């Protein structure tokens, strides 16, 4: 496996299956890499994993500063999982001073739902900017994205379609801890008590399924999160693609939650089906 830091060295890997990450890799990322390897074998392509903590998608400078950076362990995980390349560029490679390409226009799902877009202003502009930049450099045929970041997945799908980038976006189901907590690079910051409270996000999503209406599901999730003592930012059931409110009577949707456990902000989501 090769560790590449300059974009010119990526040329032989055009057509690869790509896994963009910010590093601090865990079993969730590993699943993305493993599925990428399976897919890449079918089309005789290589797997490229990028490790880049993208400064433009952080709306809180302290979050950027303390984001875990573990390149050595990340490289080992990628090697074991069968990747051909880890691309770990310096910020100047992605954003050359004085020559930063304009950020792409944002699709409606990045600005209309009032979810991550409202709670992390500027976040999706940074995500779209870096993903477009990475796609231009890596030139993949397919790219893996986790369902854990459901709104991000819809934003990337919409952007890829809007700009006709010709990259297949492959969704990967959320990998969870045995008690249901979605794996996240931020989980390492949870205190032992916070770790217990953090279970309430997946518990709320589970309880929402089976409620008869989206409104009842939202009330149920709010109750469970409140009882666990976490600070809810949103707990909603929405259309899975547009993330706008469900049409009345719709029997399936996506339940999405965001909450602060102490200072740590967590998100999670799951399919929602009416229990009626
Ligand atoms: P990040 O490094 O947090 O930007 O994540 C890189 C990719 O891994 C994104 O597509 C995430 O959605 C995905 N990812 C992160 N955590 C998980 C998880 N627990 N299960 C599945 N995919 C994940």
């Amino acid at each position: 496996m090769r560790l590449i830091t300059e974009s010119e060295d990526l040329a032989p890997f055009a057509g690869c299956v790509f896994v963009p990450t910010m590093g601090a890799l865990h079993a969730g990322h590993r699943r993305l890499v493993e599925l990428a390897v399976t897919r890449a074998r079918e089309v005789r392509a290589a797997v490229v994993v990028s490790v880049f903590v993208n400064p433009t998608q952080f709306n809180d400078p302290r979050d950027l500063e303390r984001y875990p950076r573990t390149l050595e362990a990340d490289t080992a995980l990628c090697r074991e999982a069968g990747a051909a390349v880890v691309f770990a560029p310096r910020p100047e490679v992605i954003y050359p001073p004085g020559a930063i390409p304009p950020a792409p226009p944002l699709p409606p799902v990045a600005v209309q739902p009032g979810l991550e877009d409202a709670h992390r202003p500027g976040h999706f502009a940074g995500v779209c900017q870096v993903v477009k930049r990475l796609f231009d450099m890596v030139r993949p045929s397919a790219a893996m994205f986790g369902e854990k970041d459901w709104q991000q997945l819809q934003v990337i799908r919409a952007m890829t379609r809007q700009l006709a980038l010709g990259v297949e976006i492959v969704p990967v189901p959320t990998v969870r801890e045995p008690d249901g907590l979605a794996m996240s690079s931020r989980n390492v910051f949870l205190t032992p008590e916070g770790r217990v409270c953090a279970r309430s996000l997946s518990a709320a999503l589970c309880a929402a399924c089976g409620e008869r209406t989206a409104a009842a599901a939202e009330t149920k999730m709010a109750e469970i999160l409140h009882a666990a003592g976490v600070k809810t930012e949103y707990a909603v059931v929405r259309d899975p693609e547009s993330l706008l409110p469900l049409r009345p009577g719709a029997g399936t949707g996506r339940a999405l939650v965001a909450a602060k456990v102490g200072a740590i902000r967590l998100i999670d989501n799951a399919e929602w089906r009416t229990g009626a």
Side-chain angles (χ1 to χ4, degrees), residues 59-103:
N59 47 333
D60 176 354
R62 279 165 311 169
D63 192 24
L64 170 62
E65 202 178 302
R66 71 178 174 195
Y67 200 84
R69 289 162 172 86
T70 59
L71 185 58
E72 218 170 293
D74 295 346
T75 314
L77 182 148
C78 292
R79 185 181 296 115
E80 273 170 36
V85 172
V86 168
F87 176 46
R90 285 166 289 109
E92 308 80 74
V93 171
I94 302 294
Y95 304 119
I100 301 173

Side-chain angles (χ1 to χ4, degrees), residues 19-23 25-26 28-29 32 57 67 144-149 152 172-176 182-185:
V19 185
T21 82
M22 296 207 298
L25 303 185
H26 50 64
H29 298 110
L32 266 69
Q57 73 188 68
Y67 200 84
M144 320 296 285
F145 285 87
E147 291 185 353
K148 151 93 174 24
D149 300 284
Q152 169 175 282
V172 178
T174 302
V175 178
R176 299 178 178 281
M183 290 193 172
S184 162
S185 305

